[in-house]
Amino acid sequence: MCTKGKLMEISQEGLLIVNYSSRLVQLLREVRQLTELGVTVPDSIKQAAKDGEQYYRFGVVLKKVASFFNSMDTQILKTQRPMLLNALMAFEEIVEKRNTHGGVIEWRTPTEYERYVERLQQAATKLAHENRQLRHIHHELSTSVVLLMDIDMLKHRSKWKQHWLEIVGRINVLSDRYPQDRMRKWVIHWDHQVYKVLEAAYCTGLETLNESLQLPESLKVELGFFSSSEQMPLQLKPSVEEIRSIYYHELKKFVSAPSAFKGLNGSNEVYTKMAGSNTQSLVRVYIKAELLFVELCNLLEQYESWSSLCATADLDAVVELCCSSPTLFETNFRALRDKRRAAERLPDFIKVDCICVSLGPLKLSLEDNFQRAYETLLLVLKRTMTNDINEVTHLITDFAPLYITNRSKHT
């Protein structure tokens, strides 16, 4: 039974060992039982039991502290172990601490080991508290990173950025308490977790980039007749070239975002390889971009037929040439009415992936030209009728005397 010698020591395996025999507990129990039965116990054993009772309370405390220390390896996260170095060293220093005379603290020095146990408990409590705090922060970051994955980086870029800054803020709070070199492993661990989240959002964004790319609010694409020339060709405003320039500028910002992304330690070292790891998706992005502009050009061709009326400069001459009889006038009035109704059924907007094209200017121009054509038809019809009436009047005027003379001869 060891009731003399050093209280605690750290083994070569790093385990904290209490030099307090569990047989002492058995001795106390047996002595108590024998005494209750009236059995005479030798004085030496009584003295040992008396000493054991004195050490028992502190021995139990030390056993608990040793058990806590020996199980810390499973409770401390590997990436956070450097951050707890000061607390661990302070605990180990107390374990190895010597008394005021430079000697080791032993069981036979009660006044020394009582203070020793108290300091050891305080160090263990401080270490456990700090470890719980770090694990709690680690769990909070896990929750925040998972929530970050649920935010669409394309549609809600500002919300994603705000949530990211909150994560950075939590890391920065700890950087005021711990040296950067001791936080390095833990920060790199979270950089890799954020990398996974960012790559998932990046890949999803690349797949739907042509449909979800956020273009500047100032970009308003319209289809109509904007030229001041007589031909008045159907155009997009801004032009396809200008739209292409803006589109690729925004596309480049998204594609290069990981390379410019500053991690938790302010470095983009972890994130620079992301674009290179998704080259196939990037190729598809640029193919879809070109198909988008092909579709825009096809849109011009689709509505090009509406420009024939608007491209007619001398509408009056065309109407006079085409409407040489009442039947033709009736046919053109009916055709104009049908075209007008067809124009009213045109959609106000057409969505080409992420680009919304307004057909408002086209419909307004068509309505103006239909009204102009109607007025021209009406004007030419009135003029034609007037000319025909004048011709009939001239004929009547010219042939009336001759008709009267011939009739007089017959009578």
Side-chain angles (χ1 to χ4, degrees), residues 30-83:
E30 291 178 354
V31 168
R32 186 170 60 252
Q33 291 173 351
L34 291 172
T35 303
E36 290 175 354
L37 293 172
V39 178
T40 303
V41 179
D43 293 340
S44 60
I45 295 178
K46 287 182 179 180
Q47 184 60 41
K50 183 179 178 181
D51 294 340
E53 289 177 354
Q54 182 180 358
Y55 306 139
Y56 177 73
R57 181 169 59 89
F58 298 107
V60 171
V61 174
L62 291 177
K63 284 281 187 180
K64 289 182 180 179
V65 172
S67 177
F68 158 76
F69 182 82
N70 293 335
S71 64
M72 281 296 288
D73 187 56
T74 59
Q75 298 179 34
I76 297 176
L77 299 173
K78 290 184 179 180
T79 53
Q80 289 184 339
R81 193 170 296 168
M83 300 166 67

Side-chain angles (χ1 to χ4, degrees), residues 223-227 232 306-313 315 336 339-341 343-344 346 359-377:
L223 181 67
F225 305 99
F226 303 106
S227 176
M232 290 184 67
W306 291 98
S307 63
S308 56
L309 182 63
C310 302
T312 304
L315 190 59
L336 184 62
K339 277 287 187 181
R340 205 165 198 168
R341 289 176 179 175
E344 290 175 353
L346 290 176
L359 268 63
L362 172 63
K363 295 177 74 173
L364 286 174
S365 297
L366 289 175
E367 179 58 31
D368 290 343
N369 283 281
F370 287 143
Q371 185 63 29
R372 184 168 66 92
Y374 176 80
E375 292 173 356
T376 303
L377 273 170

Side-chain angles (χ1 to χ4, degrees), residues 215-223 226 235-239 242-243 246 349 354-359 361:
L215 298 173
E217 293 183 1
S218 58
L219 178 64
K220 299 185 184 300
V221 182
E222 298 176 327
L223 181 67
F226 303 106
Q235 294 176 327
L236 283 172
K237 181 183 179 181
S239 65
E242 290 175 306
I243 299 172
I246 295 171
F349 295 93
C354 63
I355 298 176
C356 188
V357 181
S358 171
L359 268 63

Side-chain angles (χ1 to χ4, degrees), residues 210 236 240-241 243-244 247-248 286-302 352-353 355 357:
N210 59 309
L236 283 172
V240 174
E241 291 72 20
I243 299 172
R244 183 190 298 271
Y247 181 89
Y248 275 105
Y286 285 96
I287 291 174
K288 288 180 179 179
E290 287 305 311
L291 290 175
L292 184 152
F293 289 102
V294 169
E295 195 169 346
L296 277 179
C297 293
N298 291 339
L299 189 66
L300 284 170
E301 294 180 6
Q302 179 182 347
V352 182
D353 288 342
I355 298 176
V357 181

Side-chain angles (χ1 to χ4, degrees), residues 1 262 311-312 319 359 388:
M1 180 177 57
K262 299 298 182 182
T312 304
V319 171
L359 268 63
D388 290 345

